[in-house]
Amino acid sequence: MTLALRAYVALSHLLAPVWHLGLKHRLRRGKETPRSVHQKLGHEYADRPAGPMVWGHAVGVGEAMALAGLFARMAQARPDVHFLITTTARTSGDALRRTGLPPQVQHQFAPADTPGAVRRFLNHWQPDLAIWCEMDLWPTLIDATAARGIPRVLVNARLNDTSMARRRKGRWIYRALLPGFDRLFAQNDSSAAHLVALGADPSQVTVSGTIKSLTPPLACDADDLSAWLAALRTRPVWLLASSHPGEETMALQAHQQLLERHPDALLVIAPRAPARGGEVAALCQPPAPLRSTGTHLPDDGAVYVADTIGEMGLWYRLAPVALVGGSFAAVGGHNPHEPLALGCRVLHGPNTWNFAESYEQMDAAGLSLPVADAAAVEEAVEAAWAGAALPDARPPEDGRAAGVLQHLLDLLPR
C-alpha cells in the first residue's frame, strides 16, 4: 500500500461517523430507504449462495444492466457461478427491480467506503472475482479487496477529456489503485491513454469497446403493456428517451408539425431525471399528464410524460421510433442498444461521444439516424411510422467483448 493510500484508509476510519450522519440525512430526505442504509453500513444482506461468486460494482442503472448482460453470458459458460451487482443510488435498486435481472444475479447496495462496512461486506459475500464497471472507484473498498487476494478487473472504462481533467486533481489516489487491477478494459483509445496517464500499467490496459452492447432486453410488466396497447389502439406513437433540458422543446416542435397530419399522434417523453417531470409537463399546453401522479394510461392528449424509474422497457415496446436524448445536450448521448434490442428505431443528435463507436456502426447499418433539428426529427418519425416493423436488429457484437468475457472466465476458480 502506498503512503497516499494508507493516509486515505486512515482518514476513512475517522470519517465513519460522517458516513452514518450523511446516510441518516439522506434517509430523511427520501434518498435512501432503511434497507439501503443498512446494506451500505454492512448489514441486512441476502444469504450468500454456495459456490463461486462474482461481484460487480456499477455506478448506475445502465452500467448495472451492462453487467447483468455480461453475467448472463458468464453464467452460460459457468452455470455453477452466482453473481452479485452493487450500486450506490436508491433509484438504481428501484430500477433494477422493475427491469429484472437474469437468473443467478442479485442486487445489493454497495458498502460505505469505511473499513467496518467494507469488512462486513467482504466477510459476508466472499467474492472470488471483483469487477468494477466504469469509474466509480472507492479506495478503501478496492484496497480491502486487494488485501484478500481477490482478482480485480475494471471493465467499460470511459474517460473523456472533461472527466480526465477533473480526475487529474486526484491522480495520487489513482496511481495507488490502478496498477493493482489484473486487467483494465477501456471503451476506446483515448480512455486507454487517460488510464495510463493516471497510473495504470500500459501492459494491463486493453481497448475492448463497450459492454453495454451485451445489455439484455429491458423487461416490462406484461399486464401494463397489454393495457397500454388496448388504450392506444391505432394511435401512432414516438418516444423522446432520456431527455435533457432543451431537447423536450425541440421534440415538442417536431410533434406539433406531426399533429397537423396525424392529429391522434402521441409523444411520450421520458426525462433522464424523473424529478424534472413537472417541468417537462409544463412545457405543454395544456400541461401533459404525469405517470408519477397516477395517470397510468394515455388519455386523448398529444403528450404523456413518463417520469418514473425502470420502465424504459415499456416505452421502447410501445414506440416504433425513439429520439435518444443527451445527444443534443452537451452530455454525449445515451445507450442506443436498449431501444434496438426491442425493435425501436433510433434517432440521435450530434453529441454521441459516450457511444461513438456504437452510433457510427449503427448509422452505417441504417439502424440509427442522425437528425439535426426539429424538422429532421419530424421527417424521420413519419418515415418510421410508414416503414416496416423493426425486429431485434442490433449490429453484430463487437468481437472484443468476447475477449473481456474470456478473461473473466479464466480468473474464476474451477
Side-chain angles (χ1 to χ4, degrees), residues 277-312:
E279 169 193 335
V280 173
L283 296 174
C284 308
Q285 293 300 325
L290 293 164
R291 186 161 175 84
S292 64
T293 60
T295 306
H296 293 303
L297 290 173
D299 54 19
D300 57 358
V303 183
Y304 182 91
V305 179
D307 58 335
T308 51
I309 293 286
E311 293 194 290
M312 294 308 298

Side-chain angles (χ1 to χ4, degrees), residues 3-315:
L3 181 61
L5 190 52
R6 284 196 188 97
Y8 180 97
V9 173
L11 182 62
S12 70
H13 277 279
L14 300 176
L15 291 178
V18 177
W19 274 96
H20 284 245
L21 289 174
L23 288 172
K24 289 181 179 178
H25 179 64
R26 286 175 58 83
L27 178 62
R28 288 194 297 269
R29 296 175 60 195
K31 293 189 174 184
E32 302 284 352
T33 65
R35 177 174 174 270
S36 68
V37 169
H38 290 151
Q39 288 186 359
K40 289 181 178 184
L41 295 177
H43 307 289
E44 287 194 18
Y45 292 129
D47 292 338
R48 185 200 187 280
M53 169 67 70
V54 176
W55 158 46
H57 178 66
V59 65
V61 178
E63 293 74 28
M65 292 307 297
L67 280 178
L70 182 64
F71 289 168
R73 300 299 179 87
M74 293 179 71
Q76 292 174 4
R78 289 291 303 271
D80 60 316
V81 176
H82 292 270
F83 303 88
L84 172 71
I85 294 175
T86 59
T87 57
T88 53
R90 172 191 172 179
T91 53
S92 63
D94 295 340
L96 290 174
R97 280 194 296 275
R98 285 179 176 268
T99 56
L101 290 172
Q104 298 171 243
V105 181
Q106 58 183 309
H107 169 263
Q108 305 273 258
F109 290 98
D113 204 42
T114 66
V118 166
R119 181 180 64 254
R120 290 187 288 273
F121 173 84
L122 293 174
N123 284 347
H124 179 83
W125 291 107
Q126 300 178 36
D128 297 282
L129 172 63
I131 302 169
W132 275 263
C133 187
E134 298 206 11
M135 296 295 293
D136 194 33
L137 307 179
W138 292 95
T140 301
L141 182 58
I142 294 175
D143 178 64
T145 305
R148 297 182 183 224
I150 301 167
R152 298 163 311 289
V153 178
L154 178 63
V155 301
N156 223 48
R158 185 184 75 233
L159 280 167
N160 59 33
D161 292 341
T162 301
S163 59
M164 179 62 182
R166 292 196 303 266
R167 292 175 191 272
R168 284 185 188 279
K169 300 173 184 177
R171 187 184 302 176
W172 57 274
I173 200 68
Y174 292 106
R175 285 177 175 169
L177 295 176
L178 294 181
F181 281 90
D182 295 83
R183 185 65 65 87
L184 303 96
F185 292 100
Q187 291 190 28
N188 48 46
D189 290 335
S190 62
S191 295
H194 288 326
L195 286 172
V196 172
L198 287 175
D201 182 346
S203 67
Q204 296 298 98
V205 178
T206 301
V207 177
S208 60
T210 177
I211 67 166
K212 287 188 176 180
S213 61
L214 303 177
T215 301
L218 300 176
C220 77
D221 183 275
D223 291 338
D224 208 9
L225 176 61
S226 295
W228 266 82
L229 290 172
L232 288 170
R233 296 187 293 276
T234 60
R235 294 184 68 181
V237 182
W238 68 290
L239 171 68
L240 173 59
S242 299
S243 63
H244 292 260
E247 294 177 327
E248 296 96 0
T249 301
M250 185 190 65
L252 289 169
Q253 290 173 354
H255 193 58
Q256 193 62 41
Q257 295 303 309
L258 287 165
L259 288 171
E260 292 183 4
R261 294 181 299 282
H262 306 275
D264 60 341
L266 176 66
L267 166 61
V268 177
I269 301 178
R272 182 69 173 182
R276 294 186 55 243
E279 169 193 335
V280 173
L283 296 174
C284 308
Q285 293 300 325
L290 293 164
R291 186 161 175 84
S292 64
T293 60
T295 306
H296 293 303
L297 290 173
D299 54 19
D300 57 358
V303 183
Y304 182 91
V305 179
D307 58 335
T308 51
I309 293 286
E311 293 194 290
M312 294 308 298
L314 173 62
W315 314 128

